Structure formats: C-alpha cells, structure tokens
Amino acid sequence: MPVNAETVLVANRAQYNPKQLPAVFFQNAGGAGAARGAGAVPPASLDVQQRPSAMTLRIPPAVTPGPYQIGVGDVLLLATKRSGNTVEELSGLLAAQNARQGYTVQDDGAIAIPDVGRVVLEGLTLEEAEAQLFQSLVQSQIDPTFSLEIAEFNSKRVSLGGAVSNPTVAPIRLTPLYLDEALAVAGGISTEDLDFASIRIYRDGTLYQIPLEEYLRRGDLQKVRLVDGDSVFVDTEFELDKAQAYFEEQITLAQFRQQARVQALAELNAEVNLRRASLTEARSNFKDRVDFDAVDRDFVYLTGEVSKPGRFTMPFGRQASLADAIYSDSGFTAETANPSQIYVLRGSSNPADFGAVTAWHLDARNAANMTLATRFEMQPNDIVFIAEQPITRWNRAFRQIFPLLINSANVATNG
C-alpha cells in the first residue's frame, strides 16, 4: 500500500497507547504542608538608632471591642431581698454585701454562691450575666429578686510606664478607656523634652508611636481608644533605653514565637529534602532498570540498507513516527539504500488474520514525501525495511562471482 496523505490516516487509525513513565517522574518534593509558628517579628525596638529630624507618627487602628465582658478576677456584688426565707438562704451573700465584699470570678470563669453553686459568668456582658443568675436562682428555688454590679474591674487592664509621674496599671471599665484618661491615671506625662518625646503603644506584637508634640496639638490623638493588653510607654530617649526594659517580656515572647517558626521551617525543609532524595532514588532505580533492559518496552525493528540494523525503542508518553525510527541511528545512506523502496511491515492485530501482513511503501525519491514519514505513526513490532540499490545488488553479486571466475581461469591456465 503506497504511503500518501490518505493512507497515512488509515495507518494511524490503529490504537496504540504509549507506555508511560512511572508516576515518580511526575511528582515533586513540595506540597508537604505550610510552615507552622507565629507571625511577623515585632519592630526592632532594641536597636540603637540615630535621632531623626522628625518623629514618625504611627497611630494604632481604631477598635470597637463592644460591651464590657466579665472576666477572671472581676469582683461582682450581688444584692438580694432581706426578708423571708430568701434572707436565710442567702445570709452569707448578704453579709458579704454588707461588708462591701463581693464574689471574685475565679480562674474557671465562675463565682460560687451559697445554696446555688458555681455559676459561670466569664465572657458575658452584665445583662447576660443577670439573665444567667436569674435562671440559676430559679432552678435553686430561690427568690430571683436581685441586682448585680461589678465592684472591681481586674480582668482587662492597660499598663503605663516610662516618663509618667506614677507608672501603674489602669483597669478598663464599662466605659471606654482613652489615651488621655489612662495617662491621667498615671499622674500625667513627666518630661521636659517635647521635641523627641513620644508615646509608644505596644499592641498585639506591633509598636505604634505618637510624638508628644502631635499628641498635645491634636484632640483626636488624645482620644485614641485603648484595649485590653495594651502597653503605653512615654519615652524621652529615641534609643528606647527605657522602653527596652519595659517591653522585654513582650519582645522575648515574640522571639520565642519566631524561633518556633524557624524550627517549623527547618522541619519542613528536612521533610522536603527527604522526599526529594526518595524521588531521586526511585528515578535512578528506574533508569538503571531501563539500562539493563529490565523494563517492558515497545520496539520497532530496522533492517535492510540502514546504517545500523537493530531495534528502535518506542519512547515513553508519546507517539513515534517513521522518521523517528529511520533516523534514530543516523538513518540510511543513498549509496547503497534505495530511497524509493522504504517499507513498513505491520502484522494484523486480528487473531483471525494471524500471519497477514500489510506493507506500507514510501517512495522517498521525492524529498517532499519525507514529510509523510514524520506523520506516519509507528506501532509496536513494526518492521522498517529499506531495499538496496540495483547497482548495489549487481556490485555485491559481482564481488561474489569475480573470485570464482579468477580461480576458474587459474585452474584452466595451470591445467
């Protein structure tokens, strides 16, 4: 069957799925998981810096924490009726109230009421706490007539230090705590250096800065709202020598978090390296098996006037063309091979036609026909045969006959 554009389509109808490389060649060592640990490192407040021409203003973001929530350490006062059995049942509670003593929210978030038991109030607003107490009193069959108030606010605090008259800890109460009020609780700012003095607020691992001149000039800066856990430090030296001692605990904690992150990254790198080594070993083992011909492969066989008769190994993962097979080992030479007699011999895949062979004939005397060879898809066990030139056939026959003629002539002459 001659090879042309139409017959190439017919030949390529045969279904062939190229053998694939093992999955290990398509895997990578990444994707082992994200690094664990803390977030960003806090600002380098311990470094020695030169005094700038102007102080940088870094205002903390506005916050709206919502209604006050009762926390561990808060002291609650509970007032109830003094008449009837209720007074007797709550005599201990009423005595404590008369002595201006309340109930401290303990570390489990609850207060202990006689004849009622432990009532968890941590995390509740005052209104929610009243509802919880009402339910507990009713369940204990106690007159639920009472009033509740917070006597001492100990769970939410803001610390103040540095150049203030009285370094202290200011509690956050039912009403918002603003920066000017907190500084007033600490006795006000005590410094004569207005040019380079600043108010620094340490919040959630971030250091904010308000130059003192800006603070005194702008009312909105005086009304910066503080939240639980804020640390306020009035600094009179730009090198932050005093701030270093004040923030030592917070910065040390941030360093621990950063160290945990570094350790997590090291573990991740070690895991990636182990996976990469395992993949490399598996790929190397497969390559060795290929070199020792221990892997099942598909072949096309080359014979006739080719540069090197043998077999052409079908590639992994893609189709191979007739041109790939012919030129896999330097192709053929036109001195002995006949380019007009290139054949692809293909056996039938139908068991009923066992032994039937189709011979595809490519005439490559026209170089344009070689483009068909790049489109002709090979199948396993195809045989590529290139016939010899007529002159090559005569030349070989002559080389075999000529010595016999010489020998015959010598025998006749000598005889």
Side-chain angles (χ1 to χ4, degrees), residues 109-326:
I111 61 174
I113 303 176
D115 299 326
V116 175
R118 304 187 68 80
V119 182
V120 178
L121 301 179
E122 181 186 10
L124 303 181
T125 63
L126 194 58
E127 182 179 353
E128 294 170 342
E130 290 174 347
Q132 180 67 27
L133 282 173
F134 180 87
Q135 183 177 3
S136 298
L137 292 175
V138 170
Q139 291 176 351
S140 301
Q141 299 181 352
I142 299 175
D143 185 358
T145 303
F146 68 92
S147 65
L148 179 69
E149 61 178 307
I150 303 176
E152 297 181 18
F153 298 84
N154 299 322
S155 64
K156 298 172 179 58
R157 298 176 293 180
V158 173
S159 56
L160 299 103
V164 293
S165 299
N166 181 27
T168 186
V169 175
I172 296 179
R173 304 177 184 275
L174 296 178
T175 57
L177 178 63
Y178 297 104
L179 180 59
D180 58 348
E181 298 173 358
L183 292 174
V185 172
I189 298 174
S190 178
T191 178
E192 298 179 358
D193 186 4
L194 300 181
D195 293 333
F196 294 99
S198 63
I199 302 172
R200 292 185 171 88
I201 302 175
Y202 189 83
R203 176 184 297 170
D204 295 332
T206 303
L207 186 65
Y208 303 97
Q209 177 175 272
I210 301 177
L212 185 56
E213 284 189 336
E214 292 283 333
Y215 169 79
L216 297 175
R217 183 170 54 86
R218 294 174 50 179
D220 60 324
L221 298 180
Q222 299 174 15
K223 292 301 180 182
V224 171
R225 185 169 180 176
L226 302 178
V227 296
D228 180 34
D230 282 355
S231 297
V232 180
F233 190 89
V234 181
D235 186 34
T236 59
E237 298 180 7
F238 188 73
E239 291 78 7
L240 300 180
D241 290 339
K242 295 181 180 180
Q244 175 179 345
Y246 183 77
F247 292 121
E248 181 177 357
E249 183 177 1
Q250 292 88 339
I251 292 176
T252 301
L253 178 59
Q255 290 174 344
F256 278 129
R257 292 175 179 172
Q258 183 64 14
Q259 183 178 1
R261 182 176 177 85
V262 171
Q263 182 178 356
L265 289 174
E267 294 174 357
L268 177 60
N269 288 333
E271 183 178 352
V272 169
N273 290 334
L274 289 175
R275 294 183 61 186
R276 182 179 292 114
S278 177
L279 292 175
T280 301
E281 182 179 6
R283 293 167 184 169
S284 177
N285 291 340
F286 180 80
K287 291 177 182 179
D288 291 340
R289 292 178 58 204
V290 170
D291 293 340
F292 285 109
D293 200 14
V295 176
D296 184 24
R297 303 292 300 274
D298 293 326
F299 300 99
V300 171
Y301 299 90
L302 307 175
T303 186
E305 296 300 318
V306 293
S307 300
K308 184 180 179 181
R311 63 184 186 181
F312 165 69
T313 305
M314 302 282 279
F316 287 106
R318 67 175 181 86
Q319 297 282 354
S321 67
L322 175 58
D324 293 332
I326 292 176

Side-chain angles (χ1 to χ4, degrees), residues 60-80:
V63 292
T64 54
Y68 185 88
Q69 295 179 339
I70 297 172
V72 175
D74 288 343
V75 177
L76 306 180
L77 288 181
L78 180 64
T80 60

